Amino acid sequence: MLEKLNEIYKKALVDIEECNGIEGLQNVRNTYLSKKSELMSFMSHMKDLVGEERIKFGQVINSIKDDITNKIETKRKDLEEKRLQEQLEKEVIDFTLPSVEVAKGSKHPFQLIVDEVNKIFIGMGYDVAEGPEVELDLFNFELLNVPKDHPARDMQDSFFIDDTHVMRSQTSPIQAHVMQSKNGVGPIKIIAPGKVYRRDDDATHSHQFGQIEGLVIDKDVSLANLLSTLELFSRKMFGEKRQVRMRSSYFPFTEPSIEADISCFECGGKGCRLCKGTGWIELLGGGMVHPHVLEMNGFDPKEYQGFAFGIGIDRTAMLKYGIDDIRKLYANDKRFLKQFNTK
Ligand code: DAH
């Protein structure tokens, strides 16, 4: 039997040696190592042997098996290496071909404005807050002094989802969320950028646009603080020489309410096309937080005052970059969007 084994072993070595393809090598492996192979069938003879003889026979078979396995593996590596080498010799790679250009993104002008406004206010010690885009009527209107059937609802023709939920029409509800989270204890100093939704669609109004809300609540806060805050912001955003003026206005959640204009950064106030000859550009709405709004959201108006303001993100982008149609901000035309990549 040992002789027969030796014969198989020698034949296997020759077959491995002569094999010159990976597929052929797989056949060699099947011939000598599969369960049905002649070599493996010798295993069944083990049961007829006893003692020393059985041990010796087992050792021989195993060492033959291991040796064939190792030699097949070595051969496989050789063949693979050879195949790669041949492929490399045949293939021609032209390193002078230009590579495919990787498309680089750029920040959307909307986001550029948000980043810049955030940076300016963070520099003044403000935190950045957020709120949900699907909002409760309660927060979008009622807690801001706009009860059901209040005529001010007409100014913000809104997308209602059901009787109680609305796509927020302004970022002002974030004021109510932040105030309620403070349990009547100030100070608060936040800005809150976000998308808002209204039933509008023309060159200066889109059904989706962005606002940045500002809210400061503390003891001894006055309209003068709002004016100086807006002046500082305008100078950082639109240039050192900017002046800010306030006009009285109306918002349900502020008393008094103001609208703020900045001196035109195009003509410096002399009058031009951008400012329609007035020398001033409308910037935002704001005012002193209405005592009833403070109260509804857990703050004692005898102890605390606050100011608030709302800046239009798209409007700011249009002014700053000279964009003539708000819809361009939402058309996803890369040729347009690429122009604002400032860095
Ligand atoms: N939410 C107002 C709007 O959409 C803008 C605004 C006005 C926000 C006055 C304020 C504010 O915080 O005090 O038109």
Side-chain angles (χ1 to χ4, degrees), residues 178-188 217 219 294 297-300 303-304:
V178 173
M179 278 190 255
Q180 294 199 6
S181 73
K182 293 285 184 177
N183 296 320
V185 184
I188 292 174
I217 291 179
K219 295 171 183 174
L294 285 173
N297 292 293
F299 275 80
D300 180 356
E303 206 184 339
Y304 285 101

Side-chain angles (χ1 to χ4, degrees), residues 25-73:
L25 195 65
Q26 190 56 37
N27 292 337
V28 176
R29 168 183 276 278
N30 291 342
T31 309
Y32 294 98
L33 297 176
S34 71
K35 284 206 184 80
K36 288 190 201 121
S37 66
E38 209 182 350
L39 183 65
M40 292 303 135
S41 71
F42 272 91
M43 290 288 200
S44 59
H45 293 309
M46 294 272 285
K47 64 178 185 317
D48 305 328
L49 303 171
V50 283
E52 275 294 303
E53 211 178 1
R54 184 184 162 107
I55 294 172
K56 180 127 190 283
F57 188 76
Q59 281 170 345
V60 172
I61 279 212
N62 276 332
S63 82
I64 289 179
K65 198 178 93 190
D66 290 348
D67 199 48
I68 294 178
T69 307
N70 289 339
K71 291 218 158 66
I72 288 179
E73 258 334 286

Side-chain angles (χ1 to χ4, degrees), residues 227-240:
L227 179 62
S228 59
T229 302
L230 295 181
E231 257 168 9
L232 216 123
F233 163 69
S234 304
R235 287 175 189 160
K236 293 238 185 269
M237 192 77 185
F238 297 103
E240 281 306 318

Side-chain angles (χ1 to χ4, degrees), residues 156 169-172 175 198 211 213-214 251 253-254 285-287 308-310:
Q156 302 187 0
S169 59
Q170 47 185 351
T171 44
S172 306
Q175 289 190 30
R198 291 184 202 176
Q211 291 187 332
E213 196 75 14
F251 297 102
F253 34 87
T254 41
F309 55 88

Side-chain angles (χ1 to χ4, degrees), residues 134-144 146-149 153 158 160 162-167 170 173:
V134 177
E135 186 54 279
L136 287 168
D137 180 289
L138 179 71
F139 279 83
N140 196 74
F141 292 123
E142 296 200 32
L143 291 169
L144 298 171
V146 188
K148 301 232 172 6
D149 303 321
R153 289 200 179 207
S158 319
F160 272 86
D162 56 31
D163 287 349
T164 49
H165 293 88
V166 61
M167 296 301 290
Q170 47 185 351

